[in-house]
Amino acid sequence: MTGRSGLRRLFGDQDKEILRLAVPAFFALVSEPLMLLADSAIVGHLGTPQLAALGVAGTILQTLVGICVFLAYGTTSAVARRIGAGDHKGALAQGIDGLWLALLLGVVLALAGLILAPAAIGAFDPSADVADHAVTYLRISCFGIPSMLLLLAATGVLRGLQDTKTPMIVAITANLANIALNVLLVYGLDLNIAGSALGTALAQTGAGVALVVVVVRGARRDGAKLRPDRPGILASAQMGIPLIVRTLTLRVAIILLTFVATALGTTSVAAHQVAFTLWSFLALALDAIAIAAQALTGRALGAGDVAGTRAITRRMMWWGLFSGLIGGLALWGLRDVYVPWFSSDPEVRRTLAAIIIVAALWQPVNGVVFVLDGVLIGAGDGPYLAVAGVIALVLYVPLALSVLWLDGGIVALWWAFGGFMLLRLLTLTTRERRDGWLVTGATR
């Protein structure tokens, strides 16, 4: 009996709730890179120009959609607050506003993509055959952008409703549909790279429609309005601006990391690419906890439970630290096993193994950073996150460039990138220890 009580203290109701939200969120997040890998595998057999075109067009598409991730994050926070306050109808009405904003943005971005596709592709200066394939892929994919943004917003609504299982099921289903459609259209109907773009757009559209239907049914059941509400849409857009700034600071930091790695030479950038891919995969596990943090923090503050918010925040910080520690140990301890998979070049292997040690050491820091990011997003503390992101980026830029100026090498660059994460940790923990973000009520 004593042992069972000790286990309950170690693994209590808070932990069960965190895992209930985080585990499905993790599998939904993993499905996104798996979809890209499937597309790459299918298109790769068409030829090198097509695969290169997918890389260029895919980068542009991911950037456009990635900037709009606030549709998921901001909606999660707003909906969770109203759920915590007991306003289920208001929560769904807030979610519907987010869906309308996603649709409007999606249409604008799709039209811009269709018109500007040649210029956007041309900025990468690809060869003529790669450019032709890339423009074709990007233009067809643009028709799926509204659905992709609706998918983000609907996912945010369901996360705010404390449901991460439904988005997981839809994401996995979309992944399987994407593979089937790509094989059918690319090889069965011989549509080349256009078939891959069409198949992926159809799969994403199906996923977006499925989640929108779930949200709309919930809104109708609770009597929430479905018509566009201009003040609500504008409020959702205004709430998203700080999160866009925060997202851009992260993207710029990563772009700078890749830029300096490329300038350090072929071996360095090859090893860096593999290391960053592994880093990104571990980030998915940490991001899943951050998603749970968004939903639980928003709900607790909506209910006016400051003490509960503090308690769940501290518990999730431990989860982030523990997850980062486990991920770092696995990254370090298994490097002799997986490093040879990625290259037969001894120099690349040696460089990659050295980077991995540094990346592994920073993982516990990453774990806490991801969790606190999620907590403050859930609290609706976007303005602080934007300012903190800019401060960390401004201090990181000379740190990263000094590696290039002083010829410090790729390992030194990864120490600098760890410094960026440490700067984020300092700004986020400083905020967490104070009370300014603990604003209670249905709205912030």
Side-chain angles (χ1 to χ4, degrees), residues 326-338 356-357 360:
I326 295 299
L329 288 173
L331 196 63
W332 187 331
L334 298 174
R335 67 189 186 283
D336 291 338
V337 177
Y338 62 78
I356 289 299
I357 294 173

Side-chain angles (χ1 to χ4, degrees), residues 50 92 127 145 244 271 275 277 359 401:
Q50 287 90 334
L92 284 163
S127 63
I145 289 178
I244 292 176
T277 300
L401 291 178

Side-chain angles (χ1 to χ4, degrees), residues 14 25 38 48-49 55 71 129 155 163 229 265 292 321 346 364 390 415 439:
Q14 284 184 342
T48 301
L71 291 167
D129 54 347
T155 298
D163 175 13
D229 178 61
L321 182 64
V390 171
W415 278 111
V439 179

Side-chain angles (χ1 to χ4, degrees), residues 106-244:
V107 170
V108 171
L109 290 178
L111 290 173
L114 286 168
I115 295 169
L116 300 176
I121 298 297
F124 288 80
D125 196 25
S127 63
D129 54 347
V130 171
D132 288 341
H133 288 306
V135 169
T136 297
Y137 187 93
L138 183 57
R139 278 184 163 161
I140 294 174
S141 297
C142 282
F143 288 101
I145 289 178
S147 297
M148 293 165 72
L149 299 196
L150 282 169
L151 180 63
L152 281 176
T155 298
V157 175
L158 293 174
R159 287 173 181 170
L161 294 172
Q162 317 296 296
D163 175 13
T164 56
K165 186 176 180 180
T166 301
M168 177 193 71
I169 294 171
V170 170
I172 293 173
T173 303
N175 230 309
L176 296 174
N178 176 65
I179 294 172
L181 286 168
N182 268 256
V183 171
L184 172 64
L185 296 172
V186 172
Y187 297 116
L189 299 182
D190 198 26
L191 294 181
N192 206 291
I193 195 171
S196 177
L198 180 59
T200 301
L202 289 173
Q204 289 167 334
T205 297
V209 169
L211 286 190
V212 167
V213 167
V214 172
V215 173
V216 169
R217 282 179 177 173
R220 283 177 172 170
R221 184 172 57 248
D222 281 15
K225 59 178 178 57
L226 297 178
R227 298 186 308 275
D229 178 61
R230 185 181 177 188
I233 294 171
L234 290 175
S236 295
Q238 185 176 9
M239 182 172 53
I241 292 173
L243 294 180
I244 292 176

Side-chain angles (χ1 to χ4, degrees), residues 34-46 51 54-55 182 196:
L34 288 179
M35 184 177 286
L36 293 174
L37 285 174
D39 288 357
S40 298
I42 292 168
V43 171
H45 289 285
L46 293 173
L51 184 59
L54 176 63
N182 268 256
S196 177

